[in-house]
Amino acid sequence: GQNIDQPTEMTATEGAIVQINCTYQTSGFNGLFWYQQHAGEAPTFLSYNVLDGLEEKGRFSSFLSRSKGYSYLLLKELQMKDSASYLCAVKGRGSTLGRLYFGRGTQLTVWP
Amino acid sequence: DVKVTQSSRYLVKRTGEKVFLECVQDMDHENMFWYRQDPGLGLRLIYFSYDVKMKEKGDIPEGYSVSREKKERFSLILESASTNQTSMYLCASSSLQANQPQHFGDGTRLSIL
């Protein structure tokens, strides 16, 4: 089976740094995606990792360790608008090519 | 920019009705997906399609069917709507390239009374 785990909720203050962890156990791995979803809106793509290491994109970075089945999303210089749900998703291989297995999302609240 | 358009933002139907949710994408994507999203349960895959007239069951296909007669359009059908199908329904599409993300529509909030 597929199992994607991430914390349910996190809180942080404006200007701080927050790290959202994701662990996964899947039959086959073809990349890991992070999405951001504001309340009442569609998920939007943030980052993609398929090789081990850190990918940086402005205030957001994403890290992957395939041997550990582990990823994190790092958000720097937090702003109020970063309050949202962050979804971790793993892409499978073979017959499941194309589909994503989603975690339940981490609800991040940024306080002033 | 990729555009995934869902036919309705809000929809109210009655128990037992046959309900159609439509989704259209404009990027010639091979893959299309239907999810439902419920509080505490996250995104759950109902059905997906990787080509015209092809479909695969996701994790919760019971009570639903799909149709993909044209590449750009993927329809979700609730054969006989029930109250436990009240939910947010999200359509997504993607290309076959492994590193390309799924792009989501704005969602349809469906209420079954």
Side-chain angles (χ1 to χ4, degrees), chain B residues 4-5 7-8 24 27 30-31 38 47-48 57 66 73 89 91 94 103 108:
Chain B
V4 179
T5 303
S7 53
S8 304
V24 177
M27 282 303 292
E30 292 82 5
N31 296 329
D38 301 286
Y47 268 97
F48 65 106
K57 292 181 180 179
V66 289
R73 185 180 297 270
Y89 289 87
C91 174
S94 71
H103 298 269
T108 296

Side-chain angles (χ1 to χ4, degrees), chain A residues 91 98, chain B residues 28-31 93-101 103:
Chain A
K91 181 171 273 190
Chain B
D28 202 36
H29 283 165
E30 292 82 5
N31 296 329
S93 73
S94 71
S95 72
L96 288 177
Q97 290 177 270
N99 64 347
Q100 293 302 303
H103 298 269

Side-chain angles (χ1 to χ4, degrees), chain A residues 57-74:
Chain A
K57 200 186 280 188
R59 293 190 299 113
F60 293 6
S61 304
S62 56
F63 172 83
L64 176 67
S65 168
R66 288 172 296 169
S67 62
K68 294 181 180 178
Y70 168 69
S71 173
Y72 67 72
L73 181 69
L74 192 71

